[in-house]
Amino acid sequence: MITTSNLSKRFDHRAVLDAIDLAIGDGDRIALVGSNGAGKTTLFRCLLGHYHYEGAIAFNGAAPMRRDEKVLARIAFVPQLPPPLRMPVGELVRFAENSTGADPARMTSIAQGLGLELDAVAHQPFNRLSGGQKQKVLVTIALARAADLFIFDEPAANLDPAARAAFIDLLAARQDAAMIIASHRLEEVAPLVNRVIELDRGRIVLDDAVADRLTAGDARTATVRLREAHDPFARALLQWGFGESRPLTFTGSIPAADYYRFLGMISRYASVVDAFHFGEAPKPPPARKARRHVS
């Protein structure tokens, strides 16, 4: 569906995306993880044509023009920060119906599932709603669309627990589209995804197909190497039963059922992770034997 080649984006000479090569297929449901500033939102904005960028983005093999209306019509996006729209909610809903083909009856049903009555807030300006209400309106409009790709940037951040659970159920019911979900709550979206991609400093440091992890019966060895000493992260790893096998290097075993939850914990500390992989820790090279001088 989407491929990027050498995708790069700089702000003030700083690389926020650094030569990203990525392929997203029709059936992909991706959890995008990484610390704040890793490049997740910038990646989304490039895919949506909001930014100029270096490299290439292709949709079904064809490179679109920036702000290509045909491409954007197939993508539903929920941003991390709601836009400061002043129009009344009812007007926004009608605009979504006319411009994106969102089904009004479905919008009403989705909103009710999230705990929001659209009629009750129809005359309120969107920017006067609470953070949770704004998020519910945006999620409602997105999920009521017929889209090939859903992009969600921390979509459940402002939702109450009941609405968050309903949102996850709604995503699970949408099997007709690909999804990219940026979330700090990886354990919540774990049952929905078949890939985990981690960004760190604008680069992909993990791209793993994980659909089989929930059913695998065995545990996997994991190794985490820190860039520098970090007591909170070290304590978190110790609580997972990890031991410090070498200075700043922790090794432990992760049960399959806890795979996603562990990745969610790792993503919160991504800025201090120097290396992370599953499998046995690489052994240090053997010390060289001193040569004996022969006279």
Side-chain angles (χ1 to χ4, degrees):
M1 175 185 289
I2 298 176
T3 57
T4 73
S5 177
N6 204 36
L7 178 63
S8 301
K9 176 63 182 176
R10 295 178 178 273
F11 293 104
D12 296 327
H13 306 290
R14 181 175 67 90
V16 180
L17 293 181
D18 190 0
I20 296 290
D21 292 328
L22 178 64
I24 302 170
D26 291 339
D28 276 338
R29 302 165 74 86
I30 298 169
L32 184 66
V33 301
S35 59
N36 292 334
K40 302 186 298 295
T41 297
T42 301
L43 174 60
F44 290 160
R45 296 291 183 182
C46 289
L47 293 177
L48 293 163
H50 295 174
Y51 291 153
H52 290 289
Y53 52 81
E54 299 173 8
I57 300 175
F59 292 80
N60 291 331
M65 299 293 291
R66 185 170 181 267
R67 305 296 296 170
D68 189 313
E69 297 300 329
K70 291 182 179 179
V71 169
L72 295 179
R74 297 159 51 196
I75 301 176
F77 174 55
V78 175
Q80 181 176 10
L81 298 176
L85 301 175
R86 296 183 178 181
M87 67 173 65
V89 173
E91 184 178 337
L92 176 59
V93 168
R94 287 190 295 274
F95 175 79
E97 179 185 352
N98 295 329
S99 62
T100 70
D103 180 7
R106 180 153 177 75
M107 280 191 279
T108 298
S109 175
I110 291 172
Q112 289 175 342
L114 294 170
L116 178 69
E117 294 291 339
L118 289 177
D119 289 342
V121 296
H123 300 291
Q124 295 185 34
F126 178 81
N127 64 341
R128 296 293 183 87
L129 300 179
S130 68
Q133 288 175 321
K134 291 176 183 176
Q135 204 72 356
K136 291 175 182 179
V137 171
L138 294 178
V139 168
T140 292
I141 291 173
L143 289 179
R145 294 180 53 183
D148 295 329
L149 173 66
F150 290 97
I151 297 178
F152 298 104
D153 195 356
E154 298 292 344
N158 293 316
L159 298 181
D160 55 85
R164 190 179 296 125
F167 170 65
I168 297 300
D169 289 341
L170 288 166
L171 289 187
R174 289 301 298 262
Q175 297 293 326
D176 58 334
M179 293 182 184
I180 313 177
I181 309 168
S183 177
H184 285 100
R185 298 174 177 269
L186 186 56
E187 65 276 10
E188 284 190 339
V189 300
L192 303 174
V193 303
N194 59 14
R195 283 172 73 185
V196 172
I197 295 176
E198 181 180 355
L199 287 180
D200 185 25
R201 299 186 181 186
R203 294 186 175 183
I204 294 176
V205 295
L206 174 72
D207 186 349
D208 196 12
V210 295
D212 61 333
R213 303 298 192 238
L214 291 179
T215 57
D218 58 343
R220 302 192 69 195
T221 300
T223 301
V224 182
R225 186 170 70 237
L226 279 59
R227 300 182 190 276
E228 58 190 22
H230 191 277
D231 288 342
F233 190 19
R235 286 196 297 270
L237 289 170
L238 292 175
Q239 290 175 354
W240 277 86
F242 277 53
E244 192 168 5
S245 54
R246 293 196 303 277
L248 300 181
T249 301
F250 295 79
T251 302
S253 182
I254 304 300
D258 290 330
Y259 179 82
Y260 300 108
R261 191 163 60 89
F262 178 75
L263 286 178
M265 187 274 293
I266 290 290
S267 70
R268 291 195 293 273
Y269 296 100
S271 61
V272 296
V273 174
D274 184 53
F276 164 65
H277 69 274
F278 283 106
E280 296 296 335
K283 296 181 180 180
R288 293 183 178 180
K289 294 182 179 179
R291 294 183 179 180
R292 292 192 300 172
H293 177 71
V294 179
S295 58

